[in-house]
Amino acid sequence: MLKANFKFRSYFNFIVFCATLILIWSMLSTHWEIGMLSSFLIFAVLTVASECLPVALPKGGYVTVSCAVFVAAAILFPMGVILPIATCGALILFGKAAEDQPLWKRFFNASQFIISLAMAKTVLIQAGLTDFAVDIRHLPFYLLAAFTYMLSNVTLVSIALGKISGKSPWAIWKGNIRWSVPNFLALAPLGVLMAMIYVRYGPLGLIMLSVPLLLARHSFQLYIDMRKNYLNTVTALVQALEAKDSYTSGHSSRVAQWSIKLAEEMNLPEDRVEFIKYAGILHDVGKIGVSETILNKKGKLDDAEWKFICNHPVIGQNIIQSIDFLFDVGSAVRFHHERFDGAGYPDGIKGKDIPQESRIIAVADTYDAMTSNRSYRQALSSSEAIAELRRVAGSQLDPEVVEAFCRVIQKENQTEKLSPITDMPIAN
């Protein structure tokens, strides 16, 4: 995999090199004592256990409850103890976590842990806070250090995922920050509490905190699973529709994928991209109310049949509005067949009056329809479809969206020339 991406390989080597120097320097600068060794072993075991229970993030990477352990270690111990603890957590894995991460991924995770924790500990050192002493009056500094760790961690991971996928690290950063913050808000205070309990009650006190840690991990897993279940519900609705027409099988999924890439190319916010994904999957769900005879007719539709077809965006909106978690997705679905010149349906609105999400879905829908076999014609090639998109830009489709889509296709063609790259579950 590393051979397939020079940019990531260079970044990987740089991060590992810097982390190795920091680790060696910190360990040589630390005066180790018997008490520190026992603390190291206790926290290393906690970190390994935490890293073996990851929660995958929607934009790549994952989070674990080890953030709380790291925060506690940063408060309690010198850097030469903290960084080896993090290294053990990244390198020593068991079960599914070990299967998912070959050695090179573990080395990267260990390296970004080391750099992120070194920056967090530097905040505490600059604040003049001593090791093995916890004072609630210093809570703002503890939380600032935890925030520094999270920010550094997400940044390093996002850059790596960006170089692997060829996507914007900034877009990945925004997505991962969005999903990491709930985990951080739950675990950072817990890490401070863990440090306080360890100072007062020792290792037995940490056992008392094992239940809250597991509950925090379980809650975040439920949070991510709920989001995934929403998408599964939406997909099931679409599969019911596509079962009626073998020619459109997979169409909605492809339109959703193209719409996501197009929205990201246009630098839309993460919540808008999420909105567009649902709208893209559901854009044709209203066809479930249209007769199969009309949908699969090979000849020209008569006026009555065309009226049924023109009504499917309205039917789709009505179906979607009854599902609470889909918010206002129905509005994007209603207008995805409107034309830029106002000659579309069902309402005949034009230009920028058409919601941007609908204009994006319209381009993705048109491209996929042209490059797919249908009952009444054969598929066009990608280049032929792009030429047609440019021809109807300004009349049927938004010209700005069409140009953005052309850039997406160009990037896709460049990516296909590279060797395929496997998914990389990197830790946050």
Side-chain angles (χ1 to χ4, degrees):
M1 201 291 295
L2 289 175
K3 292 180 179 179
N5 192 320
F6 175 77
K7 290 182 178 180
F8 175 72
R9 187 172 72 246
S10 300
Y11 178 71
F12 174 89
N13 291 336
F14 176 73
I15 294 298
V16 172
F17 175 75
C18 291
T20 302
L21 290 182
I22 294 171
L23 178 63
I24 293 173
W25 172 82
S26 66
M27 292 184 69
L28 292 177
S29 302
T30 300
H31 178 65
W32 285 78
E33 299 175 354
I34 296 298
M36 280 197 291
L37 183 59
S38 61
S39 295
F40 162 76
L41 292 174
I42 292 167
F43 275 78
V45 169
L46 280 174
T47 304
V48 170
S50 299
E51 286 297 308
C52 288
L53 294 170
V55 177
L57 290 173
K59 287 292 183 178
Y62 61 84
V63 294
T64 69
V65 294
S66 59
C67 174
V69 183
F70 290 160
V71 169
I75 294 171
L76 291 170
F77 310 128
M79 200 174 293
V81 177
I82 303 165
L83 303 189
I85 288 172
T87 303
C88 289
L91 296 181
I92 305 172
L93 298 175
F94 301 97
K96 190 176 185 304
E99 295 173 5
D100 290 342
Q101 295 196 53
L103 197 57
W104 68 268
K105 292 183 182 179
R106 301 188 198 186
F107 270 104
F108 180 83
N109 287 335
S111 300
Q112 57 96 354
F113 282 156
I114 288 169
I115 295 172
S116 300
L117 280 170
M119 296 184 71
K121 183 62 178 179
T122 300
V123 169
L124 297 177
I125 292 172
Q126 293 300 314
L129 304 185
T130 58
D131 303 323
F132 301 105
V134 184
D135 192 328
I136 194 63
R137 292 174 297 180
H138 297 148
L139 181 62
F141 292 108
Y142 299 149
L143 295 180
L144 178 60
F147 178 76
T148 301
Y149 164 77
M150 184 198 72
L151 200 62
S152 304
N153 173 272
V154 172
T155 300
L156 292 171
V157 169
S158 298
I159 293 173
L161 292 172
K163 291 183 180 299
I164 288 174
S165 64
K167 296 180 180 178
S168 164
W170 173 241
I172 295 173
W173 188 91
K174 289 189 292 184
N176 277 344
I177 276 287
R178 179 185 178 190
W179 299 105
S180 296
V181 166
N183 188 64
F184 166 76
L185 292 177
L187 295 178
L190 195 57
V192 177
L193 180 61
M194 181 181 292
M196 296 173 67
I197 289 177
Y198 186 73
V199 168
R200 185 162 185 176
Y201 299 105
L204 289 178
L206 294 182
I207 296 175
M208 296 166 54
L209 275 178
S210 61
V211 174
L213 271 175
L214 289 174
L215 285 175
R217 185 263 177 195
H218 181 65
S219 297
F220 193 65
Q221 182 68 67
L222 289 177
Y223 176 59
I224 296 295
D225 287 346
M226 180 178 65
R227 176 186 175 277
K228 184 177 179 181
N229 289 336
Y230 284 170
L231 187 58
N232 289 340
T233 301
V234 169
T235 303
L237 283 173
V238 174
Q239 287 175 343
L241 166 65
E242 292 186 342
K244 298 175 65 176
D245 183 3
S246 60
Y247 283 97
T248 60
S249 178
H251 169 68
S252 296
S253 177
R254 292 192 299 271
V255 168
Q257 291 301 315
W258 285 124
S259 297
I260 291 169
K261 291 176 182 179
L262 183 47
E264 291 174 342
E265 175 65 28
M266 297 174 69
N267 295 316
L268 296 189
E270 175 68 18
D271 58 340
R272 298 272 302 281
V273 176
E274 187 82 358
F275 180 99
I276 286 169
K277 175 169 67 176
Y278 285 117
I281 292 175
L282 285 167
H283 75 284
D284 273 344
V285 72
K287 286 184 178 179
I288 203 166
V290 179
S291 167
E292 293 177 44
T293 303
I294 297 175
L295 289 176
N296 297 325
K297 186 175 180 178
K298 294 185 178 181
K300 185 178 180 180
L301 299 175
D302 60 33
D303 291 343
E305 291 168 336
W306 179 245
K307 187 176 292 185
F308 273 111
I309 288 291
C310 290
N311 198 42
H312 84 265
V314 179
I315 297 173
Q317 182 186 34
N318 293 335
I319 292 172
I320 293 168
Q321 283 180 337
S322 65
I323 305 173
D324 291 339
F325 71 81
L326 291 176
F327 312 110
D328 296 324
V329 169
S331 62
V333 169
R334 180 185 181 97
F335 301 120
H336 79 278
H337 276 300
E338 299 290 356
R339 288 173 56 106
F340 203 68
D341 59 7
Y345 61 86
D347 300 307
I349 59 176
K350 64 180 180 179
K352 297 302 174 70
D353 290 336
I354 305 170
Q356 187 179 36
E357 293 86 356
S358 302
R359 285 179 271 134
I360 287 172
I361 293 167
V363 172
D365 183 29
T366 303
Y367 176 82
D368 188 74
M370 288 191 293
T371 54
S372 302
N373 288 322
R374 293 297 171 93
S375 58
Y376 48 87
R377 59 150 177 80
Q378 291 296 309
L380 301 180
S381 68
S382 178
S383 58
E384 290 173 330
I386 289 296
E388 180 63 15
L389 288 180
R390 285 192 162 127
R391 188 185 71 80
V392 299
S395 55
Q396 178 183 340
L397 303 171
D398 183 340
E400 292 180 6
V401 179
V402 168
E403 284 308 308
F405 188 77
C406 291
R407 295 195 299 271
V408 169
I409 294 297
Q410 185 178 19
K411 290 178 181 178
E412 287 291 310
N413 292 337
Q414 291 173 348
T415 302
E416 288 176 1
K417 295 177 182 179
L418 300 175
S419 301
I421 297 175
T422 57
D423 183 38
M424 182 179 185
I426 302 176
N428 285 96

